[in-house]
Amino acid sequence: DVVVVGSVNADLVVGVERRPGPGETVLGADLATHPGGKGANQAVAAARLGARAALVGRVGDDGHGRLLRAALGAAGVDLAHLATTPGAPTGVALITVGPDGDNSIIVSPGANARVGPADVAAARAAIAAASVVSCQLEVPLPAVAAAARIGAEEGTRVVLNLSPPAPVPDDLLARCDPLVVNEHEAAFLLGRDGPGDPAAMAEALRRRGPRSVVVTLGADGALVAAGPEPVRVPSPRVAAVDTTGAGDAFTAALCLRLARGDALPDAARYAARAGAAAVRAPGAQGSFSAPGDLPGP
Ligand code: ADP
């Protein structure tokens, strides 16, 4: 169904009372190590929803790499195109969580920074056989551009999640169907200081060239711009515990339903349920639901 081209990180999480200033040391709580990375998260979320999902990416030849490979394999993700990079550490996210649950994050891309067009080209047959190829921006832009080009050449639908936000060339945007952004990423791409009216942002983004646009709106669901008028899609009401991974779950579910033939608004309705499900539990991969556990529409 879906080939994800993207990042694999170990999330190293420590709770702190306060963050250290320069030259200072503070003691934190026990270290927790969780599988993460936007690419891996999307592949796991899709697999948990029943998709055949493959991941194109890189880990290092180290303990984190082995841990992440095992987590992906246990979730049922096809790892034929997950390479091991000698001499580079696996990507890590160093996360401190303050008393209010606020995160401060440093990402060290490691092996993710070595994902290149050749890795994507080696997966051409898998991309051609899939219905959707899904990318984010935690791997280098040339790899993402190669995925979009190969997707277009092979008739595979290209979905791009502009996360973390970074400038992208127009020919890449033109291949996205849809471009998926949250409000902050939308504002970034439009060169605005902060989010404005979602429908106006979606229309303005569409004029930048993508075939369709989905703007996610947290608890307010999402806005789909594909036809003449933007369509608002609601999110089920849930008790929010931790929004980490919500965007990844949303995009994964969207890709799965598009692969199964849904129209974009219907796929987005399902994706909003998967996104809402992911905020009910802490963390990313541990919060992704099977279809039977999704909150009602
Ligand atoms: P990101 O996580 O990328 O910032 P959003 O916050 O827009 O993206 O969340 C993505 C999707 O997850 C939303 O479209 C929605 O379906 C779901 N979601 C996120 N937060 C909530 C929430 N508090 N309640 C219900 N659904 C949510």
Side-chain angles (χ1 to χ4, degrees):
D1 296 320
V2 183
V3 173
V4 179
V5 177
S7 58
V8 188
N9 289 330
D11 291 348
L12 309 183
V13 186
V14 178
V16 291
E17 285 303 318
R18 63 182 184 83
R19 296 190 170 82
E24 195 190 0
T25 300
V26 301
L27 295 182
D30 284 354
L31 174 73
T33 304
H34 300 296
K38 290 176 194 297
N41 289 349
Q42 282 189 19
V44 168
R48 200 154 293 157
L49 289 169
R52 277 166 298 166
L55 179 62
V56 180
R58 288 186 168 271
V59 294
D61 185 8
D62 54 18
H64 286 148
R66 286 184 282 281
L67 178 85
L68 296 168
R69 211 175 252 289
L72 288 159
V77 176
D78 175 354
L79 300 179
H81 299 286
L82 182 67
T84 297
T85 310
T90 296
V92 294
L94 304 173
I95 304 174
T96 55
V97 184
D100 300 331
D102 49 319
N103 291 341
S104 300
I105 305 177
I106 300 172
V107 172
S108 169
N112 294 304
R114 277 72 164 182
V115 178
D119 295 312
V120 183
R124 177 182 281 270
I127 293 171
S131 300
V132 174
V133 59
S134 176
C135 307
Q136 324 77 36
L137 297 181
E138 280 188 343
V139 294
L141 195 55
V144 175
R149 183 174 43 74
I150 289 172
E153 286 167 4
E154 300 293 346
T156 303
R157 190 168 186 159
V158 177
V159 175
L160 174 65
N161 192 194
L162 200 85
S163 180
V168 285
D170 288 344
D171 61 335
L172 170 56
L173 274 186
R175 292 185 166 126
C176 299
D177 190 14
L179 171 74
V180 181
V181 287
N182 67 21
E183 292 175 277
H184 303 286
E185 292 150 5
F188 170 86
L189 197 56
L190 293 170
R192 298 185 186 168
D193 291 339
D197 172 57
M201 285 203 299
E203 286 300 327
L205 284 173
R206 218 167 153 219
R207 286 194 291 276
R208 294 284 308 277
R211 296 187 185 179
S212 57
V213 175
V214 175
V215 181
T216 64
L217 305 169
D220 291 333
L223 201 76
V224 177
E229 292 285 327
V231 177
R232 187 65 168 262
V233 168
S235 187
R237 284 194 173 281
V238 293
V241 171
D242 176 5
T243 59
T244 311
D248 297 332
F250 181 98
T251 304
L254 188 81
C255 291
L256 167 62
R257 297 306 293 212
L258 290 174
R260 297 281 166 91
D262 272 9
L264 186 58
D266 294 331
R269 264 179 215 107
Y270 185 78
R273 294 170 60 200
V279 310
R280 296 180 302 188
Q285 293 181 18
S287 72
F288 298 151
S289 296
D293 298 328
L294 296 183

